[in-house]
Amino acid sequence: MEHLPAEGCTCRACGGALRKVGEDVTEILEYRPGRFEVVRHVRPAFSCRSCETMTQAPMPSLPIERGRPGPGLLAHVLVSKYCDHLPLYRQSEIYARDGLDLSRGLLSMLLTAWISRISRAAGVAGTAAEA
């Protein structure tokens, strides 16, 4: 998935031509029913030839800041744990059969980070991570 600047190939400040000077690539692990996939977010960085202003598209928001799991993966882990009553160690074994090494500790950290972020956003005191 490539993210290009909204203003096209002209500088917002002076209207000059932009040149590509680099790119940031972020890989997100996503779950689609029945399979895992890696979604690559490519955000090229551009520089104006006239005024040397840098331009880059913002990174799309993620459920966990600076995290690698996508919303589909987090939803699948949460539904499996709390609706299907599937413990994290069993989920880890299931994912290992698909060739994905997600330890029980990592799954627990993902759930804790996501639940605490949701609790902070909702203004709820006493998250599951604190209990």
Side-chain angles (χ1 to χ4, degrees):
M1 189 175 300
E2 191 158 353
H3 303 275
L4 298 173
E7 63 273 359
C9 292
T10 58
C11 179
R12 241 188 232 178
C14 69
L18 295 176
R19 69 173 181 255
K20 186 175 178 179
V21 293
E23 65 185 19
D24 290 332
V25 178
T26 304
E27 294 183 343
I28 307 296
L29 182 61
E30 190 60 83
Y31 179 78
R32 306 278 187 244
R35 67 185 181 355
F36 294 95
E37 52 186 49
V38 176
V39 178
R40 296 183 76 224
H41 292 276
V42 180
R43 298 178 310 127
F46 293 96
S47 172
C48 177
R49 294 183 185 268
S50 304
C51 65
E52 296 299 321
T53 302
M54 293 292 293
T55 304
Q56 187 174 31
M59 181 65 189
S61 66
L62 296 172
I64 299 175
E65 294 175 17
R66 296 183 305 271
R68 297 294 188 233
L73 177 62
L74 285 173
H76 179 67
V77 171
L78 281 168
V79 167
S80 295
K81 177 161 177 58
Y82 295 109
C83 294
D84 299 337
H85 308 288
L86 193 61
L88 293 178
Y89 80 91
R90 287 191 189 153
Q91 290 186 48
S92 179
E93 292 170 356
I94 292 169
Y95 301 149
R97 285 196 302 263
D98 285 338
L100 191 62
D101 183 27
L102 294 177
S103 69
R104 181 175 66 178
L106 177 65
L107 293 174
S108 176
M109 276 189 338
L110 293 177
L111 290 180
T112 302
W114 195 67
I115 289 171
S116 67
R117 181 174 178 185
I118 295 295
S119 298
R120 274 182 284 146
V124 176
T127 64
E130 297 169 355

